[in-house]
Amino acid sequence: MPRPRKPASPFRYFNSSPEVIRLVVLMYVRFPLSLRNVEDLLFERGIDICHETVRLWWNRFGPLFAGEVRRQRVNRMRGFRHWRWHLDEMYVKLNGEMVYLWRAVDHEGEVLESYVTKTRDKKAALAFMKRALKRHGSPEAITTDGLRSYGAALTELGTREKQEVGRWANNRVENSHLPFRRRERAMLRFRQMRTLQKFASVHANVHNHFNHERHLVDRQTYKQRRSAALAEWQALVS
């Protein structure tokens, strides 16, 4: 019986080591740094690469790493039905034109889904919710703001009874916008919807992976969680 073939390494056509590539993607996506900032920081460590190499690597490997992180988390958490989702949309400017970034966040503050549209109507809300429900399952409750598109979309999905609307009930997702806004300023905004969609999805999963709620735990617990997250990141696609 022939042995199953081992999947080809995604790093096989690159001269740099996988450790360096993971470090570059981590620095660029997780921290509010520009391409040239990453280039300069790596040069101080003795790694001489061009900022265009940083762009190439994050475009090539960012979605790959983020997809692996998301799959691991979905497999662990899909069976939990006590989830409370918070949904909200934020404005993002592309070449002077406003588009909408829809975001779903759970009760722990982790971003579940990001979806970019040009409109803020029922059709856009429905497409966003279907995508989130298909990937993460059905939550126990869905908290939204007063936008009527949410109610119309939930009615069509048959889950209107799960909707909750309150004055401060959606602060969880409002606060989760801040890391993305800081990253957006460092990148001097976006220019294409495709780039925005890709980066928003990658950034959300990397942020989730290293979000340890350090203000809620003691120093020793935080250090253990940080070391475990870093070890898992270094083992991605190995």
Side-chain angles (χ1 to χ4, degrees):
M1 182 176 180
R3 295 181 179 178
R5 297 182 61 183
K6 184 179 180 180
S9 171
F11 307 105
R12 62 189 182 279
Y13 297 126
F14 294 84
N15 293 327
S16 298
S17 66
E19 291 76 14
V20 172
I21 294 176
R22 293 191 192 98
L23 175 62
V24 169
V25 176
L26 174 62
M27 292 176 67
Y28 181 67
V29 177
R30 183 185 177 193
F31 304 106
L33 301 171
S34 68
L35 297 170
R36 289 172 174 80
N37 290 152
V38 176
E39 177 186 355
D40 293 340
L41 288 172
L42 291 172
F43 181 75
E44 190 271 335
R45 297 187 177 194
I47 304 173
D48 187 10
I49 62 173
C50 174
H51 68 277
E52 289 298 337
T53 302
V54 179
R55 188 197 307 275
L56 171 65
W57 285 354
W58 101 255
N59 272 288
R60 177 73 176 268
F61 294 101
L64 184 66
F65 297 157
E68 186 64 27
V69 170
R70 181 175 59 246
R71 279 191 295 272
Q72 292 177 5
R73 187 175 190 277
V74 169
N75 290 337
R76 290 195 302 265
M77 303 297 293
R78 191 175 179 85
F80 288 82
R81 297 306 182 200
H82 62 276
W83 273 6
R84 177 183 298 274
W85 288 8
H86 298 263
L87 309 183
D88 193 31
E89 72 288 344
M90 58 188 294
Y91 297 95
V92 181
K93 185 176 289 187
L94 298 179
N95 295 324
E97 179 183 0
M98 289 293 186
V99 298
Y100 303 95
L101 176 60
W102 303 75
R103 303 173 81 244
V105 175
D106 68 7
H107 58 281
E108 295 179 346
E110 296 200 358
V111 183
L112 303 175
E113 197 65 47
S114 302
Y115 188 61
V116 182
T117 63
K118 288 187 175 181
T119 59
R120 195 173 57 150
D121 53 10
K122 172 189 171 184
K123 181 179 178 181
L126 188 61
F128 165 61
M129 290 184 185
K130 284 182 177 179
R131 181 170 174 169
L133 290 169
K134 180 179 180 180
R135 180 171 289 170
H136 301 281
S138 180
E140 185 178 273
I142 300 176
T143 304
T144 70
D145 55 20
L147 182 67
R148 289 183 292 179
S149 300
Y150 290 118
L154 289 170
T155 299
E156 182 163 332
L157 291 172
T159 55
R160 183 63 183 267
E161 70 280 357
K162 294 184 178 182
Q163 185 183 19
E164 297 180 1
V165 181
R167 185 174 182 182
W168 292 290
N170 223 22
N171 283 355
R172 170 68 76 179
V173 66
E174 294 286 352
N175 292 333
S176 76
H177 295 331
L178 299 179
F180 181 83
R181 286 298 189 194
R182 288 194 293 268
R183 197 65 193 83
E184 180 190 20
R185 287 194 295 271
M187 297 181 69
L188 301 179
R189 300 186 183 276
F190 298 89
R191 294 171 178 81
Q192 297 179 356
M193 287 186 63
R194 179 178 57 185
T195 305
L196 173 59
Q197 178 66 69
K198 177 189 285 188
F199 190 85
S201 299
V202 174
H203 179 268
N205 287 284
V206 174
H207 180 265
N208 290 344
H209 187 69
F210 291 98
N211 180 25
H212 310 302
E213 298 183 330
R214 62 188 304 169
H215 61 290
L216 299 178
V217 297
D218 59 86
R219 178 67 178 174
Q220 188 62 31
T221 303
Y222 167 70
K223 290 171 64 177
Q224 292 174 355
R225 292 181 179 178
R226 182 176 61 182
S227 299
L230 188 58
E232 290 179 11
W233 176 266
Q234 293 171 346
L236 289 177
V237 202
S238 57

